[in-house]
């Protein structure tokens, strides 16, 4: 399956999901057709990959990356400003999960790094009101402001 077929697959799924959303009415409002089309595509391709029927791990990785970023943006929109301090640990956790889906490698050391990162950022979050740390925490939270 080449990139052309993948483009057709994503487009077809997108249209199909839009139709399903229209049929569902209010129940389908929270479904994102683009996100769903890309996610279903990489899930399908990943299954084919592990069955030995598809060998382009690069395109699967790109599609997984889109899903990772979509989940991250959804998380970022849904949390309050004070919890945006967790941007880095959230994004790195999602990247590690995506990587694991593609490789099934033993990631104990990487998981340890993520756990330490979460603990550090949790400490900053809990003690961020401290005058000495407040400026530093504000810089972390403000680093990704949209211009």
């Amino acid at each position: 399956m080449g990139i052309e077929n993948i483009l057709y697959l994503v487009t077809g799924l997108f249209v199909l999901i839009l139709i399903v959303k229209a049929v569902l009415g209010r129940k389908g409002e929270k479904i994102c057709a683009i996100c769903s089309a890309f996610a279903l595509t990489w899930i399908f391709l990943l299954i084919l990959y592990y069955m030995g029927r598809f060998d382009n791990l690069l395109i699967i990785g790109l599609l997984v990356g889109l899903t990772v970023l979509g989940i991250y943006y959804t998380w970022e929109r849904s949390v309050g400003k004070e919890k945006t301090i967790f941007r880095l640990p959230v994004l790195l956790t999602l990247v590690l999960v995506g990587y694991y889906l593609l490789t099934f490698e033993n990631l104990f050391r990487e998981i340890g790094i993520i756990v330490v990162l979460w603990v550090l950022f949790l400490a900053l979050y809990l003690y961020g009101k401290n005058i000495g740390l407040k400026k530093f925490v504000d810089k972390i939270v403000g680093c990704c402001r949209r211009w």
Side-chain angles (χ1 to χ4, degrees):
M1 178 182 299
I3 188 72
E4 180 181 355
N5 292 331
I6 293 168
L7 296 176
Y8 288 137
L9 178 59
V10 171
T11 303
L13 286 170
F14 175 74
V15 171
L16 181 65
I17 293 164
L18 284 177
I19 293 168
V20 169
K21 281 181 62 148
V23 169
L24 290 176
R26 291 189 62 122
K27 291 180 183 176
E29 286 178 358
K30 292 199 174 205
I31 298 171
C32 174
I34 290 175
C35 296
S36 300
F38 280 110
L40 288 172
T41 299
W42 72 254
I43 290 168
F44 173 69
L45 294 174
L46 192 61
I47 290 168
L48 289 179
Y49 175 79
Y50 283 116
M51 292 173 55
R53 308 288 217 125
F54 184 76
D55 65 353
N56 191 340
L57 204 52
L58 177 62
I59 190 66
I60 298 173
L62 289 169
L63 296 172
V64 168
L66 290 171
T67 300
V68 163
L69 199 55
I71 292 169
Y72 169 76
Y73 283 147
T74 301
W75 168 82
E76 189 179 44
R77 276 194 316 266
S78 68
V79 299
K81 180 186 174 197
E82 71 281 349
K83 290 195 179 99
T84 58
I85 189 170
F86 295 108
R87 284 179 177 138
L88 182 63
V90 166
L91 191 54
L92 288 178
T93 300
L94 292 170
V95 167
L96 193 62
V97 169
Y99 182 80
Y100 179 76
L101 286 172
L102 297 173
T103 65
F104 284 121
E105 283 184 19
N106 181 341
L107 300 174
F108 288 119
R109 286 181 31 191
E110 292 80 0
I111 291 169
I113 293 167
I114 296 295
V115 168
V116 168
L117 194 62
W118 273 102
V119 168
L120 288 172
F121 276 76
L122 183 61
L124 285 172
Y125 174 72
L126 294 174
Y127 297 104
K129 307 252 186 273
N130 176 309
I131 299 298
L133 285 176
K134 183 156 177 34
K135 266 188 169 177
F136 181 66
V137 170
D138 287 344
K139 284 183 181 182
I140 292 172
V141 171
C143 80
C144 297
R145 286 201 178 105
R146 297 213 168 101
W147 299 94

